[in-house]
C-alpha cells in the first residue's frame, strides 16, 4: 500500500505545483522527520524558495491548498506544516494494508520477468571456508533472496577455480604424499582431510632441495598444460580433489544456509573453446601488448594503472582470461549479473568491466558488490595449528553460546517439561546461526566489521534475537487466542500505536524495492529493528485480547499481519523466525 500511496502523493504534489504554475521536476517526496505528523511529506518548498523568492512555509501553504484529496484513494488530506507539505493517509490505506499483510506472501513484489544471476562465495577449493570470508556467502545469499522477493527470476552460482596453479599443486600433492605423512585432520570432513595434502605440498615446495622442487614443478606444469590442451586425464586428476573439497565446503555453507543452483567451473570455458577464442579477440585490441614474456592489456588510458595479463608465454591462460569468458557467458545468458567480491578484488572488478567494454559489451548489467572482511576480537576464539578460524568453528561457537543463553532464559520451562532437548537444540541453532548472519548482513558491505559475541546475542539490543523474539511473541499471542479473525473492522484500530504499526507494515514492500535496487540487504535489517521497536510499543500499550470482540479480532489481525511481515523480512536476510523462544 505504501508504494501506491507514494505514487498518489507524487501525483498530488505535482498537480498542486502545476496548478500554481511551478516546476514539477523534483517533488521531494520522502519519509518525514519524526516531529512531522504524516505518512509522507514533500520538501519541495525548500527547493522552490530561492526560485520564487518566497519563504518555504508560504509555498507549502499554497501547494497544500491547491491539492484536492478527493481525487485520490489513499490520500485523506494534505496539510502544510512549516516548510513541509504533509500527506496523511486515508482509512482505506490502513484497511488495505491490514488485509494485504495477512497474506503469508506479503512483501513479494510482482514479477519483473528479468533473469538475474548472483555469483557469490567462489572461494578457491583448497580447504575449509575461513571466517574472514564468511561475509561473502551471507551477503550473496541475502542479495539473491532480496532480488527474488523483488520479483526477479534469480539463480545463484559458485564460480569454481579448478584450472589454476593452486589446483595443479593440490592434485600433485594428493597423488604424491601418503596419509601417514600428514597430521590428523581437524574435523572428520572431506575438506579438512584433503587440505592437509595441499598444505603439505606447499611446505614441500618451500623446503625441499632444488632438484626435488624442479621435478615437482615439472609435474605441476604438466597438469596445467594438460588442462589447457583438453587432456581428460588432467581434468580427472584435478576434479578428484576439487569435487571432494567442494563437498565439504558446501556442507559448511549449508549451515548458514547458503545454497547454490549451479557450480560453474573455470575449465568449462577452456573445454568449450571460449577461452581460446577470447584470447584472439584480446590480442586484436589496441591495448594488447606483449611484455615480460606474456600477453597483457595496457589499460592505463582507461584509468587502470596495472596491466591485465591474459596469456603466459607457454600458451596457458590465467584466471582473469577465464573469468572474462565466464562474464561474457553471463551477459549472454542473463539480464543482470551480480557478483559479490572481497574489497581486495576491486582492481579485478575494474579490469573485467573495462575489458568487456573494449570487447564491445554493454557492462551496465554487471553489478559488483564489494565488501570488507570479517574480523574477530583477538583471543575470543582459539585457532588450531596456526590455520586461523574456519566458518565451522564460528558456527559451532554460535550454537554453543546461544544454547547457554537460551537455557538460562528458559530454565523454568525446561524444568517444567514445556520444552524438551530437541526444542532447546532447535532454538539454540536458530538463534545462534541467526545471530551470526544478522550481525554480518546488517552492516553496510563496504564497512569493516569486527564480530562481537555479546552484541550479536543480546536479546535486548538491536540483534537477531531481539527481532526473532518479536516473531515468537506474535506466534504465542495467536496460539493463545486460538481464534482466526475473518471479517474484521480495521477502523477500530485508531490508537497511535496501532496506526504506527500499520504504517511500518505498509512500508515493507517499498523497503524491499529500494534495497533490491541498491543491492543493499542491510536496509532490510535496519527495517526489522524499526519494526521490532514499533511492535513492542504496540504490545506494551495495547491489550490484544479483551471483552471487546471487534477490537480483539482487529488486533489479532494486526498481530497476524505483523507475524507475516517480520517472518518475511527475516527470510530475506536468511535468518530463521522461531515460533517460540
Amino acid at each position: 500500500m505504501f508504494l501506491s500511496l507514494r505514487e498518489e502523493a507524487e501525483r498530488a504534489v505535482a498537480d498542486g505545483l502545476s496548478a500554481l504554475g511551478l516546476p514539477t521536476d523534483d517533488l521531494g517526496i520522502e519519509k518525514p522527520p519524526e516531529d512531522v505528523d504524516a505518512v509522507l511529506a514533500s520538501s519541495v518548498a525548500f527547493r522552490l524558495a530561492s526560485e520564487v523568492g518566497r519563504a518555504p512555509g508560504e509555498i507549502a501553504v499554497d501547494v497544500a491548498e491547491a491539492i484536492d484529496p478527493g481525487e485520490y484513494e489513499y490520500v485523506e488530506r494534505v496539510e502544510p506544516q512549516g516548510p513541509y507539505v504533509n500527506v496523511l493517509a486515508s482509512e482505506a490505506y490502513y484497511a488495505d494494508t491490514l488485509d494485504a499483510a495477512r497474506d503469508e506472501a506479503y512483501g513479494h513484489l510482482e514479477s519483473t520477468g528479468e533473469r538475474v544471476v548472483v555469483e557469490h562465495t567462489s572461494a578457491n577449493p583448497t580447504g575449509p571456508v575461513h571466517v574472514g570470508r564468511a561475509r561473502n556467502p551471507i551477503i550473496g545469499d541475502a542479495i539473491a533472496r532480496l532480488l527474488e522477493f523483488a520479483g526477479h527470476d534469480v539463480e545463484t552460482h559458485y564460480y569454481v577455480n579448478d584450472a589454476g596453479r593452486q589446483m595443479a599443486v593440490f592434485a600433485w600433492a594428493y597423488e604424491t604424499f601418503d596419509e601417514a605423512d600428514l597430521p590428523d585432520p581437524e574435523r572428520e570432513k572431506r575438506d579438512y582431510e584433503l587440505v592437509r595434502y595441499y598444505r603439505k605440498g606447499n611446505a614441500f615446495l618451500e623446503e625441499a632441495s632444488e632438484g626435488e622442487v624442479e621435478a615437482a614443478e615439472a609435474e605441476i606444469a604438466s597438469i596445467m598444460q594438460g588442462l589447457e590442451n583438453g587432456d581428460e586425464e588432467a581434468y580427472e586428476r584435478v576434479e578428484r580433489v576439487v569435487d571432494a573439497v567442494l563437498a565439504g565446503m558446501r556442507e559448511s555453507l549449508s549451515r548458514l544456509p547458503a545454497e547454490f543452483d549451479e557450480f560453474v567451473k573455470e575449465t568449462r570455458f577452456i573445454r568449450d573453446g571460449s577461452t581460446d577464442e577470447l584470447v584472439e579477440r584480446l590480442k586484436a585490441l589496441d591495448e594488447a601488448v606483449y611484455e615480460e614474456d606474456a600477453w597483457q592489456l595496457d589499460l592505463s588510458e582507461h584509468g587502470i594503472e596495472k596491466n591485465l595479463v591474459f596469456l603466459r608465454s607457454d600458451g596457458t591462460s590465467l584466471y582473469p582470461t577465464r573469468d572474462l569468458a565466464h562474464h561474457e557467458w553471463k551477459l549472454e545468458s542473463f539480464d543482470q549479473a551480480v557478483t559479490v567480491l572481497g574489497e581486495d578484488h576491486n582492481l579485478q572488478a575494474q579490469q573485467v568491466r573495462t575489458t568487456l567494454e573494449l570487447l564491445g559489451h554493454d557492462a551496465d548489467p554487471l553489478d559488483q558488490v564489494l565488501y570488507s572482511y570479517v574480523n574477530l576480537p583477538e583471543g575470543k576464539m582459539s585457532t588450531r595449528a596456526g590455520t586461523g578460524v574456519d566458518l565451522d568453528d564460528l558456527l559451532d561457537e554460535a550454537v554453543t553460546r546461544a544454547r547457554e543463553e537460551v537455557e538460562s532464559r528458559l530454565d523454568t520451562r525446561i524444568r517444567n517439561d514445556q520444552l524438551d532437548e530437541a526444542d532447546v537444540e532447535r532454538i539454540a541453532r536458530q538463534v545462534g546461526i541467526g545471530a551470526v548472519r544478522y550481525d554480518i548482513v546488517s552492516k553496510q558491505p563496504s564497512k569493516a566489521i569486527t564480530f562481537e559475541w555479546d552484541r550479536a546475542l543480546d536479546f535486548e539490543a538491536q540483534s537477531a534475537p531481539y527481532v526473532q523474539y518479536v516473531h515468537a511473541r506474535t506466534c504465542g499471542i495467536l496460539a493463545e487466542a486460538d481464534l482466526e479473525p475473518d471479517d474484521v473492522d480495521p477502523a477500530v484500530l485508531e490508537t497511535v500505536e496501532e496506526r504506527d504499526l500499520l504504517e511500518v507494515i505498509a512500508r515493507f514492500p517499498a523497503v524491499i524495492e529500494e534495497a533490491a535496487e541498491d543491492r543493499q540487504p542491510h536496509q532490510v535489517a535496519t527495517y526489522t529493528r524499526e519494526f521490532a521497536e514499533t511492535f513492542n510499543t504496540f504490545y506494551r500499550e495495547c491489550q490484544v485480547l479483551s471483552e471487546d470482540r471487534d477490537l480483539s479480532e482487529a488486533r489479532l489481525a494486526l498481530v497476524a499481519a505483523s507475524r507475516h511481515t517480520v517472518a518475511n523480512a527475516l527470510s530475506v536476510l536468511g535468518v530463521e523466525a522461531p515460533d517460540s523462544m
Side-chain angles (χ1 to χ4, degrees):
M1 298 309 109
F2 182 84
L3 295 173
S4 298
L5 176 63
R6 188 173 64 190
E7 291 176 5
E8 289 191 0
E10 289 171 351
R11 278 196 290 119
V13 173
D15 290 346
L17 293 170
S18 296
L20 298 171
L22 297 173
T24 61
D25 53 325
D26 184 6
L27 301 174
I29 302 293
E30 58 195 29
K31 182 184 174 184
E34 290 185 5
D35 60 344
V36 175
D37 183 22
V39 178
L40 286 169
S42 169
S43 59
V44 68
F46 283 111
R47 174 178 63 82
L48 293 173
S50 59
E51 282 188 47
V52 301
R54 297 175 61 201
E58 295 177 2
I59 298 172
V61 170
D62 289 347
V63 173
E65 290 180 349
I67 296 172
D68 179 8
E71 297 183 9
Y72 311 99
E73 181 181 6
Y74 291 142
V75 176
E76 175 71 19
R77 59 186 188 278
V78 180
E79 298 177 346
Q81 183 177 351
Y84 290 98
V85 178
N86 291 348
V87 177
L88 287 85
S90 67
E91 289 299 320
Y93 175 74
Y94 293 106
D96 288 355
T97 294
L98 183 63
D99 184 59
R102 292 173 68 189
D103 186 338
E104 291 185 359
Y106 181 63
H108 284 85
L109 305 186
E110 292 184 6
S111 173
T112 64
E114 287 202 333
R115 297 190 66 215
V116 183
V117 59
V118 178
E119 178 205 330
H120 66 83
T121 308
S122 300
N124 289 342
T126 52
V129 182
H130 188 273
V131 72
R133 304 273 176 174
R135 204 171 188 182
N136 195 315
I138 289 173
I139 291 175
D141 183 69
I143 288 175
R145 290 166 179 264
L146 176 59
L147 292 174
E148 190 167 10
F149 247 77
H152 300 299
D153 180 8
V154 179
E155 285 189 24
T156 51
H157 288 186
Y158 187 121
Y159 186 48
V160 183
N161 176 359
D162 66 334
R165 173 181 164 78
Q166 284 182 309
M167 302 320 303
V169 169
F170 205 160
W172 160 79
Y174 183 68
E175 297 167 354
T176 300
F177 300 104
D178 294 328
E179 171 80 22
D181 299 327
L182 308 172
D184 292 334
E186 294 163 2
R187 287 175 187 260
E188 296 299 322
K189 198 159 158 282
R190 289 298 283 158
D191 45 345
Y192 289 86
E193 293 168 1
L194 267 73
V195 73
R196 299 174 299 158
Y197 292 92
Y198 181 69
R199 292 171 183 162
K200 178 72 173 180
N202 280 296
F204 179 90
L205 294 174
E206 291 179 3
E207 301 165 1
S209 67
E210 184 176 345
E212 290 175 318
V213 170
E214 285 182 1
E217 289 290 0
E219 182 62 24
I220 292 166
S222 73
I223 295 173
M224 294 175 65
Q225 193 69 57
L227 294 174
E228 291 287 337
N229 296 337
D231 180 9
E232 286 297 328
E233 182 182 354
Y235 287 130
E236 291 173 4
R237 294 169 72 182
V238 170
E239 191 175 64
R240 187 181 303 123
V241 293
V242 167
D243 289 351
V245 174
L246 271 178
M249 296 172 74
R250 290 174 69 177
E251 188 179 329
S252 300
L253 292 167
S254 67
R255 297 177 66 189
L256 282 172
E259 306 286 353
F260 298 88
D261 294 307
E262 187 173 353
F263 285 77
V264 181
K265 293 184 175 178
E266 275 188 281
T267 50
R268 167 180 181 164
F269 303 102
I270 298 175
R271 302 178 80 168
D272 68 4
S274 299
T275 303
D276 287 342
E277 192 271 335
L278 172 66
V279 164
E280 296 308 310
R281 284 187 286 129
L282 291 174
K283 286 181 179 179
L285 294 175
D286 293 339
E287 289 79 3
V289 296
Y290 189 82
E291 296 178 354
E292 301 177 359
D293 294 329
W295 278 98
Q296 310 179 35
L297 291 183
D298 181 351
L299 302 175
S300 56
E301 291 189 6
H302 304 276
I304 300 174
E305 294 304 318
K306 187 172 182 179
N307 287 4
L308 185 149
V309 182
F310 63 87
L311 193 68
R312 299 184 184 93
S313 59
D314 63 1
T316 56
S317 60
L318 291 91
Y319 179 88
T321 328
R322 301 183 291 271
D323 196 33
L324 282 165
H326 174 218
H327 274 79
E328 286 194 318
W329 171 74
K330 288 200 284 190
L331 288 173
E332 292 170 1
S333 306
F334 298 92
D335 299 305
Q336 298 179 48
V338 180
T339 308
V340 182
L341 297 166
E343 59 188 356
D344 55 340
H345 289 78
N346 188 24
L347 173 63
Q348 170 196 331
Q350 294 178 45
Q351 289 176 326
V352 166
R353 176 176 288 273
T354 300
T355 303
L356 288 170
E357 290 174 342
L358 291 173
L359 290 169
H361 294 286
D362 176 10
D364 285 345
L366 293 183
D367 196 352
Q368 286 129 341
V369 178
L370 298 172
Y371 66 92
S372 294
Y373 294 113
V374 176
N375 299 307
L376 292 172
E378 189 174 351
K380 293 294 185 181
M381 286 188 66
S382 62
T383 61
R384 296 188 297 262
T387 58
V389 177
D390 296 317
L391 177 62
D392 287 310
D393 299 330
L394 180 69
L395 298 183
D396 286 350
E397 184 83 0
V399 175
T400 297
R401 288 177 179 253
R403 185 186 181 93
E404 292 171 356
E405 183 69 23
V406 167
E407 287 178 337
S408 69
R409 289 173 170 270
L410 301 179
D411 185 52
T412 302
R413 292 171 64 187
I414 294 171
R415 286 201 308 268
N416 293 339
D417 295 328
Q418 292 174 285
L419 294 174
D420 59 20
E421 178 65 22
D423 291 323
V424 174
E425 188 61 32
R426 170 185 56 80
I427 296 170
R429 179 185 56 78
Q430 291 175 322
V431 172
I433 294 179
V436 170
R437 278 196 69 130
Y438 189 92
D439 194 71
I440 290 175
V441 80
S442 64
K443 311 297 190 303
Q444 192 168 344
S446 59
K447 293 183 178 179
I449 60 172
T450 298
F451 182 83
E452 296 276 5
W453 289 111
D454 292 344
R455 179 190 64 219
L457 288 168
D458 190 341
F459 279 65
E460 310 301 330
Q462 306 289 344
S463 62
Y466 177 74
V467 179
Q468 288 174 310
Y469 194 75
V470 167
H471 181 265
R473 174 166 278 166
T474 63
C475 293
I477 293 170
L478 294 170
E480 181 184 354
D482 194 25
L483 174 67
E484 285 292 334
D486 185 17
D487 186 20
V488 303
D489 180 10
V492 302
L493 301 174
E494 54 187 8
T495 68
V496 171
E497 293 78 17
E498 290 163 330
R499 291 302 170 101
D500 285 349
L501 182 54
L502 279 168
E503 288 171 11
V504 173
I505 290 172
R507 282 193 13 248
F508 179 47
V511 171
I512 293 295
E513 180 185 68
E514 183 176 350
E517 288 177 358
D518 297 340
R519 315 294 197 242
Q520 299 284 356
H522 74 274
Q523 295 176 10
V524 180
T526 300
Y527 170 81
T528 63
R529 293 194 292 270
E530 180 187 353
F531 178 89
E533 290 175 355
T534 307
F535 181 85
N536 286 337
T537 300
F538 157 77
Y539 180 74
R540 184 175 61 249
E541 300 297 330
C542 301
Q543 181 179 339
V544 176
L545 298 176
S546 66
E547 294 181 1
D548 186 332
R549 184 176 179 83
D550 289 344
L551 181 59
S552 295
E553 290 189 347
R555 285 180 173 172
L556 281 172
L558 181 54
V559 171
S562 298
R563 180 182 63 181
H564 297 151
T565 303
V566 70
N568 289 341
L570 286 171
S571 175
V572 168
L573 302 174
V575 175
E576 288 194 55
D579 293 340
S580 61
M581 282 178 65

